[in-house]
């Protein structure tokens, strides 16, 4: 006869005598560890198995989302994050440790807060809402005509616009290093790169040299990204690029903004442009259709697998 006894932090499993080939467990509260007849899996293995049956996702996809939740909503407790992602509190603590090591969040007693309110670092932004950004980029690129001069603002969504540009004889103006590299690889497009000083944590240029260079240009279409979209305009979490973005708009005949639905209703300090500065905006179809219909200018919604 064999006897099995094990304690978990959520309760106890009483030891029961049983025949050699039959394992009986009486559980008073849901255990966090997973039992087999021959082994007790570690908490990490249990988490891995549980994540496959839940919406918790993998560590690679979960950590950028945690950083984004903190940036958008502020302080979050370890318990609330564990419940949200259907993982253990120890898993969330390890996630927070890794995010803090990358200077993306700051751990506090019982939870975490975002670091100083700056734009999402590019490595984090790259991993968020990828499918939505691709669809938005395709829809915007489809609206650009052969032979036009196009200004692409910095950001991960405008980068997707650049990746989907297939028109011939385009001239692309940008202050974003990654957009510039994308365009430079295409012999059919002419690139005008706006120089200046590189902003920390992102790939955009700014400063007096950028302003001077832009003031001598004129473009057909300007495409802007956004930290925050409100009914009265586009907002940014820092003031560094406000002057430059306003100048970008002033040299363009018309303008569009591209922003996934997570950008709507956020809080940001600095107003960049008025909503009436734009011909239309393009977002994904996860935004409430009623809210989209009430937006002051046309708001084009596209799905992950289609474009408008």
């Amino acid at each position: 006869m064999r006897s099995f006894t094990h304690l978990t932090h959520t309760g106890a499993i009483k030891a029961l005598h049983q025949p050699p080939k039959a394992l009986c467990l009486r559980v008073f509260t849901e255990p966090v560890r997973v039992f087999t007849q021959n082994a007790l899996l570690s908490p990490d293995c249990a988490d891995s198995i549980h994540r496959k049956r839940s919406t918790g996702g993998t560590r690679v996809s979960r950590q950028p989302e945690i950083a984004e939740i903190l940036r958008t909503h502020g302080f979050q407790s370890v318990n609330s994050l564990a419940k949200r992602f259907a993982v253990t509190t120890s898993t969330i603590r390890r996630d927070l440790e890794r995010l803090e090591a990358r200077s993306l969040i700051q751990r506090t007693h019982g939870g975490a807060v975002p670091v100083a309110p700056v734009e999402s670092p590019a490595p984090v932004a790259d991993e968020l809402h990828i499918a939505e950004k691709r669809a938005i980029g395709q829809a915007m690129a489809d609206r650009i005509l052969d032979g036009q001069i196009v200004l692409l603002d910095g950001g991960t969504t405008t980068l997707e616009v650049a990746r989907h540009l297939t028109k011939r004889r385009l001239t692309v103006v940008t202050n974003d290093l990654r957009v510039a590299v994308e365009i430079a690889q295409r012999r059919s497009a002419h690139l005008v790169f706006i120089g200046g000083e590189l902003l920390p944590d992102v790939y955009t240029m700014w400063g007096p040299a950028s302003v001077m260079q832009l003031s001598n240009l004129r473009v057909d279409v300007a495409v802007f990204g956004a930290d925050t979209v409100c009914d009265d305009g586009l907002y940014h979490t820092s003031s560094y690029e406000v002057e430059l973005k306003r100048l970008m708009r002033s040299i363009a005949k018309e303008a569009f903004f591209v922003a996934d639905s997570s950008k709507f209703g956020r809080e940001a300090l600095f107003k960049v442009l008025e909503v009436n500065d734009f011909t239309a905006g393009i977002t994904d179809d996860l935004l409430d259709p009623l809210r989209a219909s009430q937006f002051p200018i046309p708001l084009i919604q596209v799905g992950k697998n289609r474009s408008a």
Side-chain angles (χ1 to χ4, degrees), residues 54-57 62-71 73-97 99 105-108 110-114:
S54 70
T55 59
R62 186 175 60 246
Q63 288 181 10
E65 190 170 349
I66 290 173
E68 185 71 4
I69 291 169
L70 290 171
R71 193 175 84 92
H73 301 290
F75 172 81
Q76 298 290 304
S77 70
V78 169
N79 288 336
S80 67
L81 290 171
K83 183 177 180 180
R84 183 187 187 108
F85 291 98
V87 295
T88 63
T89 55
S90 61
T91 295
I92 292 297
R93 289 191 181 94
R94 286 192 294 272
D95 287 337
L96 296 179
E97 287 175 4
L99 288 169
I105 60 101
Q106 180 180 344
R107 287 186 297 161
T108 64
V113 295

Side-chain angles (χ1 to χ4, degrees), residues 140 153 221-226 228-235 245-246 248-249 252-258 271-282 295-299:
M140 184 65 242
D153 183 24
V221 181
V223 181
F224 291 87
T228 296
V229 180
C230 297
D231 287 349
D232 64 333
L234 269 58
Y235 285 75
K245 290 177 185 290
R246 289 175 179 171
M248 287 177 172
R249 177 61 190 94
K253 295 177 183 177
E254 68 171 340
F256 294 83
F257 72 81
V258 290
K271 189 174 188 178
V272 180
L273 293 165
E274 299 286 343
V275 71
N276 290 329
D277 287 328
F278 298 95
T279 300
I282 302 180
F295 201 71
I297 63 172
L299 202 55

Side-chain angles (χ1 to χ4, degrees), residues 7 45 51 79 84 86-87 95 103 119 136 143 151 155 159-160 173 176 190 205 209 211 218 249 262 277 287 292 305:
L7 298 177
C45 291
R51 280 197 301 268
N79 288 336
R84 183 187 187 108
V87 295
D95 287 337
S103 301
E119 187 174 356
I136 293 167
R143 286 164 172 77
L151 188 154
L159 177 60
E160 289 299 331
V173 181
D176 187 290
H190 176 56
M205 311 298 286
V211 171
R218 293 292 180 270
R249 177 61 190 94
S262 71
D277 287 328
L287 183 68
N305 300 314

Side-chain angles (χ1 to χ4, degrees), residues 38-52:
N38 300 314
L40 173 65
L41 299 183
S42 69
D44 284 342
C45 291
D47 268 346
S48 177
I49 292 172
H50 185 63
R51 280 197 301 268
K52 292 179 181 179

Side-chain angles (χ1 to χ4, degrees), residues 15 21 41 51 62 76 78 109 116 150 159 163 176 201 219-220 231 240 254 265 285 288-289:
K21 293 185 180 180
L41 299 183
R51 280 197 301 268
R62 186 175 60 246
Q76 298 290 304
V78 169
H109 179 70
V150 183
L159 177 60
R163 287 171 174 164
D176 187 290
D201 297 323
V219 303
D220 296 311
D231 287 349
Y240 293 121
E254 68 171 340
D285 60 0
D288 181 0

Side-chain angles (χ1 to χ4, degrees), residues 7 18 52 57 78 104 110 168 172 202 225 241 262 286-287 294:
L7 298 177
Q18 61 235 338
K52 292 179 181 179
V78 169
L104 301 178
R168 295 284 180 177
V172 178
V202 291
E241 296 179 273
S262 71
L286 297 179
L287 183 68
Q294 295 173 343

